[in-house]
Amino acid sequence: MRALEQANRVRLARAELKRQVAEGETTVAGIVLDCPWEAESMSIADLLMSQHRWGRSRCRRFLTSISMLETKTIGSMTERQRKELAGRLTGDQDRVAA
């Protein structure tokens, strides 16, 4: 029962996180850099596709350009991967080069 309660808590928190991204209240780059608890086991593709006008094709092209799998979880990303991803999303070339 506790596992089910925890799964429901995570599911609801992720839904709220996706809603915030879709409505522009927060950014994917910010979530990737901060890595909140609800996003740790979330795939990067799920988070990217919660953005307005980001479907599966755009997500695949973007992730292929930085050599990252769609199934990569946010919690398993290295600091360098986080900074590169956030830099490409925001257009911040200093982060991409770092």
Side-chain angles (χ1 to χ4, degrees):
M1 288 302 285
R2 281 187 228 155
L4 184 59
E5 289 172 4
Q6 176 64 17
N8 284 333
R9 222 180 348 264
V10 170
R11 198 170 16 261
L12 290 171
R14 283 186 185 169
E16 176 62 19
L17 198 61
K18 287 180 176 183
R19 185 199 60 76
Q20 289 175 354
V21 169
E23 292 181 1
E25 294 175 18
T26 189
T27 64
V28 171
I31 293 169
V32 167
L33 290 173
D34 295 341
C35 192
W37 68 270
E38 62 265 37
E40 284 180 0
S41 60
M42 186 178 201
S43 76
I44 189 61
D46 282 343
L47 186 58
L48 287 170
M49 287 189 294
S50 66
Q51 298 177 104
H52 181 64
R53 298 184 57 132
W54 276 71
R56 186 155 305 278
S57 296
R58 186 172 185 183
C59 179
R60 279 188 185 142
R61 277 194 311 271
F62 177 76
L63 291 174
T64 301
S65 74
I66 59 172
S67 301
M68 189 177 291
L69 296 174
E70 292 177 57
T71 55
K72 179 85 170 170
T73 60
I74 296 167
S76 69
M77 294 170 69
T78 64
E79 190 65 29
R80 183 193 63 77
Q81 288 174 323
R82 288 176 199 280
K83 287 181 180 178
E84 181 178 1
L85 181 66
R88 290 194 187 244
L89 286 169
T90 61
D92 184 356
Q93 293 306 313
D94 292 336
R95 278 194 184 147
V96 173

